[in-house]
Every structure is written in structure tokens, then in C-alpha cells.
Amino acid sequence: MTINLTPEQVLAGFGVLLVVFLVWRRGAKKARRAAETARAGVRAISLAGRVVFLGAALVGVQWLVITHPGNTTLLLVTLAVPDLIAAHVLTRALTVVAADGTPRRGGRR
């Protein structure tokens, strides 16, 4: 059995294959972009949850120490530790690190 195709039929077949391939690639790119967006959203929600939990824990400990006075050192430590943590986090977040590109093998010459 032989298949006799005209040049127009072969060209139309290649065109259909090309369109299917391009549609598939576009769908894959959209799916990848949507997955990255979803991951970024989950990371933000997860980070927000941890921040709220830690903030509530620190406020709870501070509330306990303030409502039960008697130890001035414990009061000062309880109020100072969250400030030190916040200062450390802000300093790291606001520090600019220069990126000089990729390092050469062997260092400077």
C-alpha cells in the first residue's frame, strides 16, 4: 500500500504539527509561571504566619512578665530581646551586598 500525498497535504501536515507544538509550549510556559506564582504566594503566607505566631509568643511572654512585677532584670531582658531580634533582622534585610559577578578560577592574577 502506497501513500500518495500532494505537496500541499505535506505542508498542511507540517503546519498542523507546528501549531500543536507552539500551543503545547505556550501552555507549558503558562503552567510553569502559574506554579511559580503559587509557590511565591504560599511562601508569603507561610512567612506571615510565622511572623504572627512569633509576635504573639513574644507579646504573651512580655505580658506575663509585666503583669507579674518583682524582678527588674527579667523585665528588662524580656523587653530587650525582641528589640535585639528585630534590629538583627532589619540590619540583615537592609544591608546591601555587592555582587561582583562570577569569580574567576584561581582568583586574581
Side-chain angles (χ1 to χ4, degrees):
M1 177 172 176
T2 51
I3 299 175
N4 293 326
L5 296 175
T6 64
E8 291 85 15
Q9 289 172 332
V10 172
L11 190 59
F14 280 129
V16 168
L17 287 176
L18 180 66
V19 167
V20 168
F21 178 73
L22 292 176
V23 167
W24 174 71
R25 289 275 306 201
R26 186 172 182 214
K29 285 182 182 180
K30 279 187 175 182
R32 189 176 313 120
R33 203 174 307 129
E36 289 173 3
T37 302
R39 273 189 234 113
V42 169
R43 279 189 220 123
I45 292 170
S46 176
L47 178 62
R50 285 182 276 173
V51 167
V52 168
F53 177 76
L54 182 59
L58 291 174
V59 167
V61 170
Q62 288 175 342
W63 179 79
L64 281 173
V65 170
I66 290 171
T67 57
H68 296 85
N71 191 344
T72 307
T73 305
L74 181 62
L75 177 66
L76 292 175
V77 168
T78 303
L79 294 175
V81 168
D83 291 338
L84 292 174
I85 293 171
H88 173 72
V89 169
L90 285 174
T91 302
R92 287 194 57 167
L94 299 176
T95 300
V96 176
V97 179
D100 295 333
T102 58
R104 288 188 232 154
R105 196 167 27 158
R108 289 186 163 180
R109 293 181 186 216

